[in-house]
């Protein structure tokens, strides 16, 4: 089984997803190997006439890879993106995107000059309305075909070297699922069944914003010391179905989700790529996992031990590395001793195993939306480590890392291009912060946030209730006064104040009007 490699420490919402731009998947674009689309704002390639960027040759590092992948020229992901494109847009200033139409992370506005920092928060610190918004956005993304991007469903060779493009439309969310599949899939070496499993192009990673809501950011799930999946409720990520423990409750919107790219062994046997078609319902059975792979969810002690490891990496940058922050956080090193090649998976990987379903498949794990909450928290641990140890950029390996991981390599399968080393930086430089890393006073305010927002949402109703109550009080007082006046004139009506009797009436042979007087006196 391929190791559960860390896909994304820097899961970040920005304006659009990044994969094969639809405009660059034509026969002409593939044959010329150029992906420099026009920017709609001025009609020039890469927005060149507006100073946003220009079309240039792709430069790829020639530093040697590690020994884990002993081939060359067999896989489309090698020296990304040269198999598909050798010219792409190079954006200037704060502009970014496959045609320089977007802003760099943390920048907003028409000219990308507005700097803004987003806050990524604990999902349990969201108000009810914020939780609903989060779930709604995920569901919208799952059911909206991506306008700008498509996915490759065949290797470049099967596309007849570009003359026969083979791409498919998928939803905005499933672009993300496919990307995780593509970076972690086995290398196809030729005939069906002949694959190389010890390869994974997964790395620090970001995704684009799903909606136009610029105030929205992905929350995180702090799973430390959890005894069960406490986000697995119908008002969050979906409870367990009462009819089938492997399915989600019909009360969750996620029960209708269908998965793709999860049948790795079938693809390998046939020598093909994922065809991005429906492969069945989302599966999850948390806690009923294989204890021979992972014992439980990670503990606070294990997280703190991992944070204490001062070296980003040691040795060959693979699962055998000892006292390596990267390897231990991924879950391939022991989070109690720091020794590599652990017999049990821990940290990041153990959460995948614990979910015991779609998320436990290496290549199909992003089908489960809990993936996003999980990786957002993994990213927060990475951010804590960066702030605590302030590593030199030289700690990120320049050469001899597993294929695709050298510092100057472009991240697979991003278009536009981003180098691995570019994201060996703090989240604050990318325009977002974690609520767990705020100072104590800010954390207290953050903890109170959902309660204050609920009160704010209730305030109009409280005001209406107060007004209604005030009006009712005036009416009651007026009625009581009217009754009292009538009684003072010998009215046979019962005094309104007598409705709350403090002692029982005493039987009497006195005239009826005296009884009323006794009643009045008694109260």
């Amino acid at each position: 089984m391929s190791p559960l490699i860390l896909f994304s420490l820097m899961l970040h919402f920005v304006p659009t997803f990044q994969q094969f731009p639809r405009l660059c998947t034509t026969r002409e674009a593939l044959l010329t190997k150029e992906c420099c689309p026009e920017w709609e704002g001025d009609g020039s390639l890469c927005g060149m006439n507006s100073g946003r960027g220009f079309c240039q040759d792709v430069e790829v590092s020639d530093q040697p890879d590690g020994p884990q992948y002993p081939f060359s020229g067999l896989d489309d992901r090698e020296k990304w993106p040269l198999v598909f494109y050798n010219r792409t847009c190079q954006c200037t200033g704060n502009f970014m995107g496959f045609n320089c139409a977007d802003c760099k992370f943390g920048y907003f506005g028409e000219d990308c000059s507005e700097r803004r920092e987003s806050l990524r928060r604990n999902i349990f610190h969201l108000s009810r309305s914020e939780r609903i918004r989060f779930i709604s956005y995920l569901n919208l993304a799952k059911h909206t075909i991506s306008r700008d991007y498509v996915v490759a469903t065949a290797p470049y060779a099967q596309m007849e070297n570009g003359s026969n493009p083979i791409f498919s439309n998928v939803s905005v969310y499933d672009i993300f699922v496919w990307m995780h599949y593509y970076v972690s899939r086995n290398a196809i070496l030729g005939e069906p069944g002949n694959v190389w499993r010890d390869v994974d192009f997964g790395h620090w990673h970001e995704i684009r914003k799903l909606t136009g809501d610029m105030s929205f950011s992905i929350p995180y799930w702090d799973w430390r010391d959890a005894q069960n999946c406490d986000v697995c409720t119908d008002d969050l990520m979906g409870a367990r179905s009462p009819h089938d423990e492997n399915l989600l409750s019909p009360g969750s919107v996620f029960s209708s989700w269908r998965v793709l790219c999860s049948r790795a062994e079938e693809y390998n046997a046939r020598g093909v790529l994922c065809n991005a078609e429906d492969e069945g319902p989302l599966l999850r059975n948390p806690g009923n996992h294989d204890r021979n792979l992972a014992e439980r969810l990670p503990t606070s002690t294990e997280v703190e031990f991992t944070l204490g490891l001062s070296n980003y990496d040691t040795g060959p940058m693979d699962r055998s590395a000892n006292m390596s922050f990267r390897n231990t956080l991924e879950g391939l090193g022991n989070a109690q001793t720091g020794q590599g090649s652990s017999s049990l998976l821990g940290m990041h990987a153990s959460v995948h195993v614990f979910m015991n379903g779609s998320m436990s498949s290496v290549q199909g794990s992003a089908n489960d939306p809990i993936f996003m909450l999980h990786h957002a928290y993994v990213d927060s641990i990475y951010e804590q480590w960066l702030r605590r140890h302030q590593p030199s950029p030289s700690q990120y390996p320049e050469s001899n890392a597993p294929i695709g991981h050298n510092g100057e390599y472009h991240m697979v399968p991003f278009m536009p291009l981003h180098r691995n080393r570019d994201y060996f930086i703090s989240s604050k430089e990318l325009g977002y912060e974690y609520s767990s890393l705020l100072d104590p006073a800010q954390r207290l305010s953050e903890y109170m946030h959902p309660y204050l927002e609920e009160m704010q949402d209730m305030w109009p109703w409280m005001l209406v209730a107060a007004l209604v109550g005030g009006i009712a009080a005036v009416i009651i007082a007026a009625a009581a006064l009217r009754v009292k006046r009538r009684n003072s004139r010998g009215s046979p009506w019962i005094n309104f104040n007598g409705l709350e009797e403090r002692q029982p009436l005493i039987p009497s042979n006195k005239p009826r009007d005296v009884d009323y007087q006794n009643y009045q006196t008694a109260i």
Side-chain angles (χ1 to χ4, degrees):
M1 177 181 126
S2 297
L4 289 169
I5 301 296
L6 179 60
F7 170 56
S8 165
L9 287 185
M10 310 199 81
L11 193 67
H12 188 69
F13 263 34
V14 288
T16 54
F17 276 90
Q18 303 183 52
Q19 219 330 269
F20 286 100
R22 187 180 297 274
L23 296 174
C24 296
T25 54
T26 63
R27 184 172 184 272
E28 179 184 4
L30 291 173
L31 289 176
T32 61
K33 290 184 175 290
E34 182 172 293
C35 182
C36 294
E38 294 181 356
W39 175 52
E40 293 179 355
D42 65 9
S44 66
L45 300 184
C46 311
M48 181 177 62
N49 292 345
S50 299
R52 300 178 77 96
F54 51 92
C55 189
Q56 74 166 25
D57 293 343
V58 174
E59 296 181 1
V60 176
S61 171
D62 59 0
Q63 292 293 322
D65 299 314
Q68 298 85 357
Y69 179 78
F71 307 102
S72 178
L74 291 179
D75 193 281
D76 294 349
R77 299 165 294 179
E78 296 175 29
K79 297 188 180 300
W80 181 262
L82 293 185
V83 167
F84 291 96
Y85 311 106
N86 55 30
R87 285 178 62 79
T88 64
C89 286
Q90 174 65 47
C91 303
T92 61
N94 294 331
F95 300 111
M96 189 177 74
F98 65 86
N99 60 350
C100 302
D102 303 317
C103 299
K104 281 186 177 179
F105 310 130
Y107 288 91
F108 302 86
E110 291 185 6
D111 59 355
C112 299
S113 60
E114 180 184 349
R115 176 72 174 174
R116 215 185 300 169
E117 187 174 282
S118 302
L119 184 66
R120 188 168 290 171
R121 301 164 53 211
N122 188 319
I123 192 168
F124 291 111
H125 293 171
L126 301 183
S127 67
R128 182 175 179 275
S129 62
E130 289 170 331
R131 293 184 187 188
I132 292 173
R133 180 172 59 159
F134 172 58
I135 302 302
S136 298
Y137 283 175
L138 288 182
N139 203 40
L140 176 65
K142 180 68 173 180
H143 294 95
T144 303
I145 296 297
S146 175
R147 184 185 63 138
D148 294 324
Y149 297 93
V150 293
V151 300
T153 50
Y156 187 73
Q158 292 182 20
M159 296 186 194
E160 299 174 16
N161 296 322
S163 61
N164 179 32
I166 305 177
F167 297 90
S168 295
N169 291 317
V170 295
S171 74
V172 172
Y173 186 90
D174 286 339
I175 286 280
F176 172 52
V177 173
W178 180 89
M179 289 171 70
H180 184 260
Y181 156 76
Y182 195 75
V183 299
S184 59
R185 69 174 177 81
N186 301 144
I188 300 173
L189 302 183
E191 65 276 8
N194 186 13
V195 298
W196 188 262
R197 298 175 184 273
D198 192 12
V199 58
D200 195 309
F201 288 80
H203 39 58
W204 320 148
H205 194 107
E206 73 288 328
I207 69 170
R208 294 285 196 160
K209 196 164 185 180
L210 302 182
T211 74
D213 184 349
M214 304 307 285
S215 67
F216 179 74
S217 60
I218 300 176
Y220 61 86
W221 173 34
D222 182 349
W223 32 246
R224 292 175 301 171
D225 304 316
Q227 299 302 306
N228 50 51
C229 179
D230 49 12
V231 295
C232 294
T233 60
D234 279 348
D235 65 329
L236 287 176
M237 311 313 290
R240 181 182 278 114
S241 170
H243 309 297
D244 186 334
E245 65 179 7
N246 294 307
L247 298 177
L248 273 60
S249 161
S252 168
V253 298
F254 300 118
S255 64
S256 66
W257 280 32
R258 312 292 288 182
V259 304
L260 67 154
C261 299
S262 62
R263 299 174 179 170
E265 293 307 316
E266 178 183 325
Y267 310 142
N268 291 341
R270 294 165 51 202
V272 299
L273 297 188
C274 160
N275 59 12
E277 294 181 355
D278 182 346
E279 295 180 358
L282 177 62
L283 302 177
R284 189 194 301 152
N285 189 355
N288 295 321
H289 61 285
D290 186 349
R291 296 302 198 280
N292 293 319
L293 291 177
E295 291 182 328
R296 45 166 169 71
L297 293 172
T299 66
S300 299
T301 301
E302 290 169 334
V303 171
E304 186 57 35
F305 176 87
T306 303
L307 285 168
L309 297 171
S310 59
N311 291 319
Y312 171 74
D313 217 342
T314 60
M317 199 182 175
D318 59 21
R319 66 180 304 142
S320 68
N322 296 323
M323 307 306 287
S324 157
F325 168 74
R326 175 205 55 80
N327 199 38
T328 306
L329 180 58
E330 286 188 7
L332 307 176
N334 189 298
Q336 298 176 5
T337 66
Q339 295 301 299
S341 300
S342 176
S343 59
L344 288 173
L345 298 173
M347 294 297 287
H348 154 264
S350 67
V351 179
H352 282 271
V353 173
F354 182 88
M355 301 320 290
N356 191 31
S358 299
M359 195 165 154
S360 302
S361 160
V362 177
Q363 296 169 11
S365 59
N367 278 293
D368 191 329
I370 290 179
F371 179 99
M372 305 180 77
L373 303 180
H374 168 41
H375 280 264
Y377 189 63
V378 172
D379 181 35
S380 78
I381 297 174
Y382 173 57
E383 179 63 21
Q384 281 185 266
W385 182 84
L386 286 173
R387 297 187 192 185
R388 181 180 300 189
H389 298 284
Q390 299 183 346
S392 164
S394 63
Q395 278 210 35
Y396 198 99
E398 185 71 26
S399 62
N400 296 311
I403 189 167
H405 290 75
N406 285 347
E408 293 301 312
Y409 276 1
H410 297 113
M411 294 180 177
V412 177
F414 285 155
M415 293 293 297
L417 304 178
H418 301 280
R419 297 184 187 275
N420 290 323
R421 191 187 301 281
D422 293 344
Y423 295 94
F424 197 55
I425 56 176
S426 170
S427 67
K428 293 181 75 67
E429 294 186 52
L430 297 173
Y432 68 102
E433 172 65 295
Y434 282 94
S435 61
S436 58
L437 303 183
L438 298 172
D439 63 47
Q442 290 175 311
R443 286 203 303 272
L444 177 60
S445 175
E446 170 62 21
Y447 178 78
M448 295 299 296
H449 167 79
Y451 305 105
L452 295 175
E453 180 159 316
E454 293 291 349
M455 290 180 63
Q456 185 178 18
D457 291 342
M458 291 174 60
W459 175 247
W461 295 103
M462 294 172 65
L463 180 60
V464 170
L467 289 173
V468 171
I471 294 172
V474 170
I475 294 173
I476 292 172
L481 180 60
R482 184 179 181 189
V483 169
K484 186 173 182 179
R485 287 176 177 172
R486 284 178 179 248
N487 284 343
S488 67
R489 296 196 298 269
S491 169
W493 294 3
I494 297 176
N495 189 327
F496 209 88
N497 293 331
L499 292 177
E500 293 186 3
E501 187 176 318
R502 296 190 182 178
Q503 72 178 50
L505 297 177
I506 300 174
S508 173
N509 295 324
K510 295 183 179 180
R512 189 175 181 85
D513 61 336
V514 176
D515 284 340
Y516 284 113
Q517 183 61 43
N518 287 346
Y519 185 74
Q520 294 285 342
T521 303
I523 65 171

